[in-house]
Amino acid sequence: MNTATLAFTPVNHTGWGSSQRLLSIVQEMAPASILVVTDPVLEEIGLVHKVIEPLLQANYHVEVYTAISPEPPLEVGENLVAFTRSKQVDLVIGIGGGSALDLAKLTAVLSVHEGKVEDYLNLTGKREITQKGVPKILIPTTSGTGSEVTNISVLSLESTKDVVTHSHLLADVAIVDPELTLSVPARVTAATGVDALTHAIEAYLSTQGNPVTDGLALHAIKLINRSLRTAVEDGNNRQARSDMSYGSYLAGLAFFNAGVGGVHALAYPLGGQFHLAHGESNAVLLPYVMDYIRSRATKRLADVLQAIEPEAVVQSEEEASSQCVQLLKQLVYDIGIPTTLREFQIPESAIEPLTNDATKQTRLLARSPMPLEKKDIQAIYTAAFYGE
């Protein structure tokens, strides 16, 4: 029989209001100095202060670092690690979207290592991570990336993306509080929501999946599909926000252990070359990648349809897989994300350089149920450009 090795964040606190446990968690760690890595907009609207106020009232020394950006370039990571090395930091807390969480775990680990961040990149780095670094607590404020439960930090390069990945990047504690997502704008809710859905679907189709990740992924798909439209339309809907929060969390656990595939491989160059938000890159590509690999994932996509539309009437798995692809495209349209590359003002001439960069994402492509070579990748980008 096949075996699987599963990894999870040691401690996870979930549910509405769970961020209120932060003080008691920090007290157990007893740090002298805390670094909070967060999105500047979250500090501006007061959300960060709301989360860390109990720490300040308890007289912990807290420094807030906000010099980060979405889809963070390598330079942002280098600057943060250099900053952390210059301080005496005993605990790193990441608060925000995937970029803030990725950078928090990156600096918690690499600040105790020598060299530059680029020395540890997956595709080109020559150095190895050997130390766990300082403890880290990750608190997402969006429902999408799953970064709080993965060991990956994504960085943007000149024309694509690369990652730093190691088991030491896994958080010591993850706090998933749906209440913190109430302030997320509709467009970000849509993009991060499809990102989470893509994590779940690609994990379910992954060649490295197993019955545990299958269960996590399918339930994530159900939660996200039933609530994403509502969360986009009414950001104050507590049930929708809770469903999305749990769906994103479960999808994160699924793809961390099973991996993602072709959608992410093709999405990275879109982010690198055109600075598309990662969730929107996944969203526009999801139906086209699924349609292209459908012949090698018919049964699995039929299962996804069952999770999305339990009462769907189909005559065969072939019909079910086709209907699944159409429903995914409709969902992207319904939440206001463009469904073709042309709508993102990406020129047809970009297809070749996008293809060239996507072929380098071998770590991701290896998990696709259908091997995707250069000609296949180019065909997918072309279909996504024309909407075919």
Side-chain angles (χ1 to χ4, degrees):
M1 296 181 66
N2 293 332
T3 63
T5 301
L6 301 167
F8 299 96
T9 303
V11 180
N12 300 260
H13 298 276
T14 65
W16 201 274
S18 56
S19 59
Q20 296 173 20
R21 298 181 181 179
L22 179 61
L23 177 59
S24 62
I25 296 167
V26 170
Q27 288 173 332
E28 293 180 4
M29 296 180 170
S33 180
I34 302 170
L35 176 65
V36 174
V37 180
T38 190
D39 303 292
V41 67
L42 297 182
E43 185 182 43
E44 291 173 9
I45 66 174
L47 183 60
V48 173
H49 182 77
K50 175 184 176 182
V51 174
I52 68 172
E53 184 176 12
L55 305 182
L56 300 175
Q57 291 181 348
N59 294 319
Y60 281 99
H61 180 266
V62 181
E63 186 153 4
V64 179
Y65 186 95
T66 62
I68 70 171
S69 59
E71 317 294 326
L74 176 60
E75 182 182 7
V76 171
E78 300 281 13
N79 291 341
L80 173 57
V81 170
F83 176 85
T84 308
R85 286 172 177 167
S86 71
K87 305 286 183 176
Q88 284 292 111
V89 175
D90 301 304
L91 171 66
V92 174
I93 301 176
I95 303 174
S99 297
L101 303 190
D102 279 6
L103 289 168
K105 52 187 164 182
L106 180 80
T107 203
V109 174
L110 293 190
S111 61
V112 303
H113 288 76
E114 296 182 348
K116 296 183 177 181
V117 174
E118 66 177 340
D119 298 331
Y120 297 89
L121 291 173
N122 177 66
L123 295 178
T124 58
K126 303 300 181 184
R127 289 181 179 267
E128 294 184 1
I129 292 174
T130 58
Q131 302 178 64
K132 189 176 187 298
V134 300
K136 46 200 168 297
I137 300 171
L138 301 182
I139 307 173
T141 60
T142 64
S143 298
T145 69
S147 180
E148 70 277 7
V149 292
T150 71
N151 65 0
I152 302 167
S153 180
V154 183
L155 296 163
S156 296
L157 307 182
E158 185 175 344
S159 63
T160 187
K161 293 185 178 183
D162 201 354
V163 302
V164 176
T165 178
H166 191 279
S167 59
H168 288 334
L169 269 73
L170 199 63
D172 295 275
V173 178
I175 302 176
V176 183
D177 184 350
E179 186 176 6
L180 300 182
T181 69
L182 287 174
S183 62
V184 179
R187 180 169 179 174
V188 178
T189 298
T192 55
V194 179
D195 189 19
L197 181 63
T198 304
H199 291 156
I201 293 173
E202 290 211 284
Y204 189 66
L205 269 60
S206 171
T207 58
Q208 298 176 9
N210 58 74
V212 176
T213 59
D214 286 352
L216 293 168
L218 286 175
H219 193 54
I221 292 168
K222 292 177 182 178
L223 290 172
I224 295 167
N225 178 74
R226 80 184 187 191
S227 296
L228 180 53
R229 291 177 177 86
T230 302
V232 171
E233 294 170 1
D234 178 10
N236 291 315
N237 187 299
R238 289 175 57 129
Q239 185 60 56
R241 289 297 194 185
S242 293
D243 281 353
M244 290 303 302
S245 186
Y246 279 113
S248 172
Y249 171 69
L250 293 172
L253 295 175
F255 94 82
F256 172 48
N257 286 281
V260 289
V263 178
H264 277 73
L266 274 66
Y268 277 4
L270 280 178
Q273 294 185 30
F274 294 96
H275 308 292
L276 260 66
H278 177 62
E280 293 184 345
S281 297
N282 278 336
V284 69
L285 291 169
L286 177 61
Y288 301 102
V289 174
M290 292 300 108
D291 193 41
Y292 195 87
I293 68 174
R294 192 163 59 85
S295 64
R296 297 288 291 272
T298 305
K299 172 64 170 67
R300 290 268 155 169
L301 285 172
D303 294 342
V304 172
L305 174 67
Q306 184 67 23
I308 292 175
E309 193 64 61
E311 298 181 4
V313 178
V314 292
Q315 301 300 316
S316 64
E317 290 180 351
E318 168 71 20
E319 182 183 347
S321 66
S322 178
Q323 187 172 332
C324 176
V325 171
Q326 295 306 311
L327 288 180
L328 292 176
K329 192 169 186 178
Q330 185 64 47
L331 174 62
V332 173
Y333 176 83
D334 288 347
I335 59 176
I337 297 178
T339 57
T340 68
L341 296 181
R342 284 190 294 183
E343 293 174 77
F344 281 107
Q345 308 304 313
I346 295 173
E348 187 176 9
S349 60
I351 292 176
E352 184 173 353
L354 286 170
T355 299
N356 291 336
D357 279 345
T359 59
K360 300 173 185 177
Q361 298 294 335
T362 54
R363 177 181 64 91
L364 304 177
L365 293 170
R367 302 174 185 135
S368 173
M370 172 186 285
L372 296 176
E373 300 178 355
K374 184 175 181 178
K375 62 178 177 60
D376 304 303
I377 294 170
Q378 186 166 3
I380 294 170
Y381 278 131
T382 302
F385 179 80
Y386 288 105
E388 297 174 343

